[in-house]
């Protein structure tokens, strides 16, 4: 259980980092890559499940 909790905390930290980077993009750039502002949180959370970096 402790390992699962640590993994979730690390995933949340990656999620916040990813979300901060994506939020810096302007509307035109987001539109070019196929995202809208309302989709960013979901996309960032899904992306953290795929990436495994410390």
């Amino acid at each position: 259980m402790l390992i699962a909790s640590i993994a979730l905390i690390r995933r949340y930290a990656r999620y916040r980092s990813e979300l901060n980077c994506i939020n810096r993009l302007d509307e035109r750039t987001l539109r070019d890559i196929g995202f809208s502002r309302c989709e960013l949180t979901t996309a960032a959370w899904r992306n953290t499940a795929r990436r495994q970096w410390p």
Side-chain angles (χ1 to χ4, degrees), residues 6-44:
I6 292 171
L8 182 61
I9 291 168
R10 292 178 82 183
R11 182 178 179 192
Y12 182 75
R14 287 191 308 268
Y15 161 74
R16 293 299 304 168
S17 175
E18 186 79 25
L19 195 58
N20 286 336
C21 290
I22 291 175
N23 274 328
R24 292 183 189 143
L25 300 175
D26 63 350
E27 295 298 323
R28 183 176 180 192
T29 305
L30 288 173
R31 205 175 29 230
D32 285 348
I33 61 174
F35 283 105
S36 65
R37 287 262 172 225
C38 63
E39 297 173 313
L40 293 181
T41 56
T42 304

